[in-house]
Amino acid sequence: MKILHAADLHIDSPLRGLSRYEGAPEDDLRLATRRALDNLVRLATDLSVDAVLLAGDVYDGEWKDYQTGLYFSRQMALLGQAGIPVYMVSGNHDAQNRTMRTLKLPDNVHVFATGKPETVRNEQAGLAVHGQGFARWDLSDNLAAGYPARDGGLFNVGLLHTGLDGSYSDHKRYAPCSVADLEARDYDYWALGHVHKQQIVRDEPWIVYPGNIQGRHARETGPKGCIVVTVDSDLLVESVEHHDLDTARWESLDVDVTGRDDIDQVLSLVAQRFQEIPEERLTAVRVTLTGATSAHTALWRDRERILNELRAAAGHHPNLWLEKVKVRTSSEDGGDCGGGASGILTDLHRALTVLGANPDGLMAKLADHPLIGRIPPELRGPEGIAPNDPAWIGSLADDAYQVVESLLQEAR
């Protein structure tokens, strides 16, 4: 038996802020979630899988266009024509979507109830799937605790959208549970959703987050796709394999410019690194310049030139777009970006350095800080973006860091 496990499709997820970037491949990025689902359907059909499991957040909140639901329905119908059943639970984003509740999906799709857990048996495949969806977006109940006991003689799968105990700081803990809660059900495989980075939490029993099928912004880097589980005739897991589905990939490229004497040498080094990036799919890259260099001051002073020249260099690559350049260098004398500055600017600079990977902590520290008033309004939060949006908070961290760096340069 083969089972395809995917989650967090976020079909037609809005890619916020792209219009701010000159030359951004907006159409390719906006269609990427659909093309990734096309790849999922193609993979499931090519492998003749016995079931597709979708562990929540198929949609991305309230639809802007009803065509999103119709598109998903058409893709599920293609799986139905291939004789492949689909089992899905709603996640926190799906629960925000009122239209989803009335959309008629093909007969091969089973959407699990939200009021209580239920079990669907596929005797022909030898499969029992247990699941429960979100009745509301801010669900704080431990759904796993109510899942039924295993079904004897079948391969038992728990299908769940959850914020599992662990260090997943970028994701709110909706429907929280622990590994012990899952182990207590005695299932063979837990098909989880909600965390956008692939995580094999445990292999006895198998507890797996497949990650999302398509990265949506610069903080969702690396390969994105699904998991294919192969089960042998004794109903034991034979293999758990990742398959890429993404058609556009976000990457973070750290370039150590230590010893480079001027901007031209830095540009040349980054251009060389661009050539190492594979060409088979669109890659959106964020470059971070690090290291001690005598070009440190010039790099900060001429950031606009660096961005434009590197975007031109990226244009020589057949499938590369430069999203942003961050300067995190220091001077060759070992001084940090704060130089000899002291007081509140240096303190804030240090806070940003520590909190850059902790959006919640960053916002708590900066919420009432007087220097926030120095950040241009367009960087504080574009209209319609909630302050707790991880992508925007990450962008704010980067922008605030650069503002403080500029202030520190002035204070020298």
Side-chain angles (χ1 to χ4, degrees):
M1 175 168 52
K2 285 187 182 293
I3 302 168
L4 190 152
H5 167 206
D8 300 283
L9 280 58
H10 290 278
I11 302 170
D12 291 343
S13 172
L15 298 168
R16 302 181 177 96
L18 281 180
S19 59
R20 293 186 297 172
Y21 296 106
E22 182 70 28
E26 293 188 55
D27 290 341
D28 288 333
L29 291 173
R30 291 189 193 285
L31 290 172
T33 54
R34 289 195 180 205
R35 290 172 175 165
L37 180 55
D38 293 343
N39 288 342
L40 184 155
V41 171
R42 188 177 302 110
L43 177 65
T45 304
D46 289 347
L47 294 179
S48 298
V49 301
D50 296 276
V52 168
L53 308 174
L54 300 179
D57 283 358
V58 166
Y59 307 113
D60 194 74
E62 196 64 51
W63 293 332
K64 305 300 181 186
D65 187 342
Y66 199 83
Q67 294 300 316
T68 300
L70 296 178
Y71 163 75
F72 176 68
S73 183
R74 288 194 297 270
Q75 298 307 304
M76 295 304 97
L78 291 175
L79 291 175
Q81 292 170 16
I84 299 172
V86 178
Y87 306 101
M88 60 181 284
V89 293
S90 56
N92 54 292
H93 281 274
D94 299 320
Q96 291 177 299
N97 193 298
R98 292 186 293 271
T99 312
M100 175 192 170
R101 302 167 195 165
T102 59
L103 179 68
K104 174 64 176 174
L105 291 172
D107 292 340
N108 65 308
V109 179
H110 180 86
V111 181
F112 282 83
T114 60
K116 62 179 181 179
E118 61 173 318
T119 300
V120 176
R121 297 168 183 81
N122 184 334
E123 301 285 352
Q124 182 177 357
L127 177 67
V129 182
H130 314 275
Q132 180 180 352
F134 277 42
R136 62 183 190 277
W137 71 270
D138 57 347
L139 189 69
S140 59
D141 301 335
N142 182 348
L143 298 183
Y147 273 43
R150 68 173 289 114
D151 201 326
L154 298 173
F155 186 81
N156 282 247
V157 171
L159 186 59
L160 179 65
H161 196 81
T162 179
L164 187 67
D165 285 348
S167 56
Y168 309 115
S169 59
D170 290 341
H171 299 82
K172 292 188 176 180
R173 292 197 65 232
Y174 297 123
C177 65
S178 67
V179 169
D181 293 328
L182 304 185
E183 290 176 329
R185 306 270 68 79
D186 196 27
Y187 297 166
D188 301 293
Y189 184 93
W190 277 97
L192 304 184
H194 185 50
V195 172
H196 288 190
K197 182 177 181 181
Q198 181 186 310
Q199 304 274 351
I200 296 180
V201 180
R202 192 68 60 87
D203 60 7
E204 286 189 13
W206 286 92
I207 301 173
V208 178
Y209 283 107
N212 52 345
I213 67 171
Q214 171 61 56
R216 301 173 302 148
H217 52 72
R219 293 180 179 273
E220 294 185 346
T221 58
K224 299 292 183 178
C226 66
I227 294 291
V228 173
V229 183
T230 302
V231 181
D232 66 20
S233 57
D234 294 321
L235 300 181
L236 299 174
V237 174
E238 185 175 289
S239 65
V240 173
E241 299 178 329
H242 169 88
H243 289 257
D244 292 348
L245 298 175
D246 52 344
T247 61
R249 187 164 296 173
W250 298 84
E251 294 289 1
S252 179
L253 181 64
D254 292 336
V255 181
D256 186 349
V257 299
T258 298
R260 267 56 185 189
D261 296 328
D262 56 41
I263 288 181
D264 288 337
Q265 291 182 12
V266 170
L267 295 174
S268 176
L269 177 60
V270 177
Q272 291 174 25
R273 294 291 304 276
F274 283 165
Q275 299 311 308
E276 301 170 5
I277 297 175
E279 300 179 358
E280 63 264 24
R281 62 170 56 78
L282 171 64
T283 300
V285 64
R286 175 176 290 187
V287 171
T288 302
L289 304 178
T290 64
T293 171
S294 57
H296 169 67
T297 301
L299 290 173
W300 271 102
R301 184 182 61 242
D302 296 328
R303 292 196 300 276
E304 191 68 20
R305 171 199 166 188
I306 293 166
L307 176 63
N308 289 327
E309 293 205 23
L310 287 180
R311 281 199 171 144
H316 296 294
H317 187 289
N319 235 345
L320 180 64
W321 172 59
L322 176 62
E323 181 255 355
K324 181 180 287 189
V325 177
K326 298 194 296 184
V327 179
R328 299 292 184 266
T329 56
S330 62
S331 57
E332 285 188 320
D333 61 11
D336 64 17
C337 297
S342 60
I344 193 169
L345 288 176
T346 301
D347 291 341
L348 182 54
H349 176 272
R350 289 171 180 163
L352 286 166
T353 302
V354 172
L355 295 168
N358 181 355
D360 292 335
L362 178 66
M363 292 305 291
K365 293 286 187 184
L366 295 184
D368 300 317
H369 201 289
L371 278 179
I372 288 296
R374 298 288 299 274
I375 300 175
E378 65 269 19
L379 301 183
R380 298 182 202 162
E383 183 178 354
I385 297 181
N388 63 351
D389 184 292
W392 176 74
I393 292 172
S395 177
L396 173 62
D398 294 333
D399 292 328
Y401 193 107
Q402 293 199 10
V403 169
V404 174
E405 289 284 8
S406 297
L407 294 172
L408 286 168
Q409 290 291 328
E410 295 173 7
R412 287 185 170 184

